[in-house]
Amino acid sequence: NKILIRDLKIEYNNKMTQKMKENFLTEMSLRKGLEQEQFELYYQPQVDSVTGKLIGLEGLIRWHHPEEGVKMPGSFLELAESTGLIFPIGEWVIEQAFNQLENWKKQGEDTLTISINISSRHFLAPSFQPFLERCLQKYDVKAEQLIIEITEDVAIEDLEVAKKRILALRTYGFQISIDDFGTGFSAFHYLQHFPVQEIKIDRQFIQDITQNEVSMRIAKSIIDLANMLKLKVVCEGVETAEQCEILQQIGTPILQGYYFSKPMRYQDVCHWWEETKNV
Ligand code: C2E
Ligand code: CA
Ligand code: CA
Ligand code: CA
């Protein structure tokens, strides 16, 4: 028995060392990736369900790893979070968005929005707001065109700071959106306390909306609630024409998902946009 426990300990230690080694290497390559600009913001269109027009883009980060190819956010954000690299990564994302908005402005386009994802930890950090203020000074961009997506867990982290932060950002004109709405525990609590402008209904409620009456009713009640509170509502993960049709019947949400387009490189957004304008 003793030997067994000792073996388990050795195995455990080996595994830990292995995991720590991996994390260490990933951290190093993340740092290098930032220095060498290996990240790219892909964009996914958001479409008005009434007019069919493009109203904005959500930026989703990709990492062009020199050896491993394109890495999805799910494979590196957790480590970025635990190492604090989420701060420089988040700031990089913000600057990308400002750059893009300024380019549009130069081309006379000043109504489209860009949504970005900000981790709770970064959103609550003291450096977050000053960074946005600096960007507003540096770039010729209206704050209204930037939508900051946060998740319900900012409320769990620090309700008071989160509330103050949202109010302060509002005075500049930035829009705040609650991502993955409905998946947390405190959806209503959140709406009661946070003066946000938009909610995004999580894909899990949209997925089986055509077969599952309950999902459909949940989606409808979230849309109704959003309308009553005068909030914009975005449905994520729309994949089929049937889903679109039902969502149009039960409300007038903004739609986003593979049915319209996967997230794509900026050049491809331009082509996509030209093509959809012509239909
Ligand atoms: P999210 O913000 O909920 O983004 C939606 C995810 O669903 C994206 O995955 C998107 O590619 C995917 N998606 C969009 N439409 C569809 C659809 O019709 N069907 C299906 N099955 N999936 C769809 P992605 O790009 O892998 O991002 C995963 C998560 O990583 C995001 O979830 C977000 O939480 C986080 N993330 C992405 N980019 C950033 C970033 O720049 N900063 C931070 N902090 N987090 C990010
Ligand atoms: Ca999002
Ligand atoms: Ca989401
Ligand atoms: Ca998510």
Side-chain angles (χ1 to χ4, degrees):
N1 201 6
K2 251 190 182 158
I3 293 172
L4 201 70
I5 289 175
R6 199 198 56 194
D7 286 349
L8 278 175
K9 267 190 180 160
I10 291 172
E11 197 189 312
Y12 175 79
N13 283 335
N14 283 344
K15 272 197 187 138
M16 277 304 286
T17 326
Q18 184 60 29
K19 188 78 202 149
M20 277 163 65
K21 245 196 228 159
E22 272 171 30
N23 282 351
F24 179 75
L25 289 176
T26 312
E27 186 184 341
M28 288 300 117
S29 54
L30 264 178
R31 286 185 192 281
K32 209 163 130 195
L34 265 170
E35 265 167 36
Q36 302 184 347
E37 295 178 55
Q38 292 167 1
F39 293 97
E40 183 175 355
L41 210 54
Y42 275 41
Y43 292 98
Q44 189 176 35
Q46 299 181 325
V47 172
D48 184 323
S49 65
V50 179
T51 63
K53 289 218 164 75
L54 176 73
I55 54 175
L57 302 174
E58 178 180 11
L60 294 153
I61 198 166
R62 302 291 181 260
W63 178 13
H64 296 283
H65 194 283
E67 284 107 43
E68 294 169 38
V70 181
K71 286 176 78 95
M72 301 301 279
S75 71
F76 61 89
L77 282 182
E78 205 179 315
L79 193 74
E81 193 88 35
S82 65
T83 53
L85 285 170
I86 197 70
F87 297 96
I89 290 175
E91 291 182 350
W92 178 84
V93 169
I94 294 168
E95 287 234 53
Q96 290 295 308
F98 270 93
N99 250 308
Q100 194 51 60
L101 288 170
E102 193 179 62
N103 281 337
W104 281 344
K105 173 122 197 242
K106 283 182 192 145
Q107 294 160 28
E109 172 51 68
D110 64 354
T111 53
L112 285 177
T113 55
I114 291 186
S115 300
I116 54 169
N117 295 280
I118 293 296
S119 91
S120 300
R121 198 174 156 206
H122 189 192
F123 187 77
L124 296 171
S127 63
F128 184 68
Q129 197 179 315
F131 186 82
L132 282 173
E133 287 163 12
R134 267 179 277 142
C135 284
L136 268 186
Q137 283 169 357
K138 183 169 160 192
Y139 296 92
D140 182 19
V141 160
K142 284 189 300 184
E144 286 75 10
Q145 282 175 274
L146 187 73
I147 303 179
I148 299 165
E149 295 190 5
I150 53 177
T151 49
E152 292 170 337
D153 52 289
V154 298
I156 300 164
E157 297 256 340
D158 197 329
L159 187 77
E160 282 313 307
V161 174
K163 208 167 156 178
K164 275 195 200 130
R165 178 85 8 110
I166 292 171
L167 283 169
L169 293 174
R170 278 306 296 154
T171 64
Y172 289 96
F174 294 113
Q175 300 191 60
I176 316 289
S177 172
I178 308 177
D179 206 353
D180 305 338
F181 186 83
T183 59
F185 291 104
S186 55
F188 292 110
H189 188 67
Y190 212 116
L191 288 182
Q192 188 187 10
H193 290 280
F194 292 170
V196 300
Q197 285 67 55
E198 177 185 278
I199 57 182
K200 298 189 76 172
I201 305 181
D202 194 69
R203 177 159 59 91
Q204 74 182 65
F205 299 111
I206 308 297
Q207 227 163 19
D208 58 353
I209 203 170
T210 49
Q211 301 102 19
N212 187 335
E213 174 98 14
V214 175
S215 297
M216 189 274 282
R217 288 187 188 278
I218 290 175
K220 176 159 172 38
S221 59
I222 300 177
I223 294 170
D224 289 345
L225 178 68
N227 288 339
M228 268 188 286
L229 297 174
K230 303 215 161 37
L231 304 178
K232 289 185 287 177
V233 55
V234 181
C235 298
E236 303 192 303
V238 178
E239 293 182 353
T240 67
E242 293 75 40
Q243 291 170 340
C244 272
E245 219 168 279
I246 293 194
L247 290 168
Q248 278 166 320
Q249 280 164 17
I250 63 177
T252 53
I254 299 164
L255 306 175
Q256 180 182 354
Y258 293 170
Y259 177 66
F260 302 97
S261 168
K262 292 204 165 182
M264 53 196 156
R265 313 185 82 159
Y266 187 71
Q267 307 88 282
D268 299 328
V269 177
C270 298
H271 294 301
W272 177 88
W273 194 4
E274 283 308 315
E275 274 172 26
T276 45
K277 259 196 238 169
N278 297 334
V279 279

